[in-house]
Amino acid sequence: MSAHLPKRPILTASASLAAILSAAVTLTGTVAVARAPAAPPVQAEATVPAARSATVTIREDGLVADYFAVPTTAATRASAGAVIVLGGSEGGLGGSRALARRLADEGFAAIAVSYFGEPGQSPKLDQVPIEPVGRAVDWLQARPEISGPIAVMGISKGAELALLTASRDPEIRAVVLGVPSSVVWAGIDPTGGPVGSSWTSGGQPLPYVPYDMSKGFTGILNLYNDSLDVAPADARIAVETINGPVLMISGQVDGLWPSARMANEIEQRLKDHRFAYPVINIIYPDAGHAAFGAILPADSPALGQATYFGGTVPGLLAARADGWPRVLDFLRTALKP
């Protein structure tokens, strides 16, 4: 399909989406922190183990990333493989860095990769190259301490990118998706400007689902659901070509986009193609867009804001308490040499 859309509908959709996302959540390794201007300050990493600097800071042409090796305190349970971590529509390395650090403390070498939003990168999530993920695979495979498979983990828009790159790169041997997408979406411009595909490959925009404003803007979840109803076939990600197991975690009452619906679509497509690897699709009934992430304490100061896009505090706590150990178990199994 064409990457060019009629300007008036896209301007309206992009502006509406950007306005919502300006008060949206930043998914870190532990919490979802609301970014509304009136919100009080929140310690986004309040429950993360003592912060430590990245083992290697990478600022190369085509790869902006922070690498965390397994610390000596976790050496006895160190995995042979490694994990590429992709944050969401907040951009940059803030959320993915926290999650990569957490994974390293659990025994998994991890590299947080920025695909937009860092200095030298595009400030908007529109026509963003997917190649940094492949460069991260190459970088990890050149490390002497990495002798096992490579997994990719993504949250929200990062899950969209994770699924897309895993479907194209057989060197990615396991996939972990938090509140995923089954399709390539149109981009997001914070200024509300016209957008095309979120992603490019080899400099060419990938087929995508445009925002359907035929009913007007009645809410961000409705926008995504209405657009998904008329999604072009070529915008659906070819998940059947993934070269390893898939774990998905989503919230049934996700108020940002229909992650549970899209996780089910991914699972059904894999079944239809007789996918050879294990597929785990976990949907938590009382969790929203922050369903994925590390376990949260019941007294976390960010819990109220973490439900900004759906779910209840008890539902979020239950999802994290059940889901995070499952993520770690999945990776320990999938990343064996």
Side-chain angles (χ1 to χ4, degrees):
M1 64 172 288
S2 171
H4 300 287
L5 303 176
K7 286 189 175 182
R8 181 173 296 276
I10 283 300
L11 277 166
T12 305
S14 183
S16 301
L17 185 57
I20 294 293
L21 290 177
S22 70
V25 294
T26 298
L27 294 172
T28 72
T30 55
V31 297
V33 180
R35 297 197 295 172
V42 174
Q43 297 300 315
E45 297 183 16
T47 60
V48 178
R52 58 189 175 88
S53 299
T55 308
V56 183
T57 298
I58 307 158
R59 300 295 184 269
E60 302 173 355
D61 184 26
L63 182 59
V64 176
D66 283 353
Y67 171 69
F68 292 86
V70 176
T72 55
T73 54
T76 58
R77 61 180 188 275
S79 168
V83 185
I84 298 167
V85 183
L86 305 170
S89 59
E90 74 279 2
L93 287 167
S96 56
R97 182 190 291 119
L99 188 54
R101 184 187 295 115
R102 167 71 72 151
L103 287 168
D105 289 333
E106 295 286 357
F108 302 97
I111 184 169
V113 176
S114 174
Y115 48 94
F116 86 107
E118 287 288 327
Q121 295 184 312
S122 172
K124 60 182 180 179
L125 210 173
D126 181 48
Q127 301 193 61
V128 172
I130 68 171
E131 282 80 8
V133 180
R135 293 188 181 101
V137 171
D138 294 340
W139 193 95
L140 288 170
Q141 290 178 333
R143 297 289 297 182
E145 70 271 28
I146 307 299
S147 59
I150 306 298
V152 63
M153 173 185 292
I155 303 173
S156 192
K157 285 296 289 190
E160 181 182 326
L161 178 57
L163 197 67
L164 180 61
T165 53
S167 72
R168 291 164 166 255
D169 188 346
E171 294 299 312
I172 296 174
R173 300 303 306 276
V175 184
V176 178
L177 306 171
V179 290
S181 172
S182 56
V183 301
V184 171
W185 286 101
I188 301 169
D189 182 354
T191 68
V195 292
S197 177
S198 288
W199 316 108
T200 68
S201 177
Q204 297 301 310
L206 296 176
Y208 65 99
V209 181
Y211 301 124
D212 181 6
M213 293 289 289
S214 60
K215 301 176 184 177
F217 184 78
T218 59
I220 190 168
L221 181 60
N222 290 340
L223 174 66
Y224 277 116
N225 268 316
D226 291 345
S227 303
L228 195 60
D229 287 342
V230 292
D234 60 356
R236 297 191 177 276
I237 300 172
V239 295
E240 64 274 11
T241 60
I242 292 172
N243 193 29
V246 178
L247 169 64
M248 297 178 284
I249 290 178
S250 57
Q252 185 66 55
V253 287
D254 189 333
L256 180 57
W257 69 8
S259 59
R261 173 185 175 182
M262 292 190 286
N264 286 334
E265 290 181 351
I266 294 167
E267 181 181 26
Q268 187 60 54
R269 180 163 180 147
L270 291 172
K271 287 180 178 178
D272 291 345
H273 287 83
R274 301 183 183 276
F275 190 63
Y277 299 97
V279 179
I280 304 170
N281 181 17
I282 306 169
I283 300 173
Y284 293 104
D286 298 315
H289 200 67
F292 182 89
I295 296 172
L296 287 170
D299 60 352
S300 170
L303 279 174
Q305 295 180 2
T307 57
Y308 186 87
F309 278 122
T312 64
V313 169
L316 171 61
L317 290 172
R320 295 291 189 90
D322 182 73
W324 185 246
R326 293 194 187 207
V327 169
L328 299 179
D329 288 346
F330 174 86
L331 288 172
R332 288 190 183 103
T333 299
L335 298 186
K336 290 178 180 179

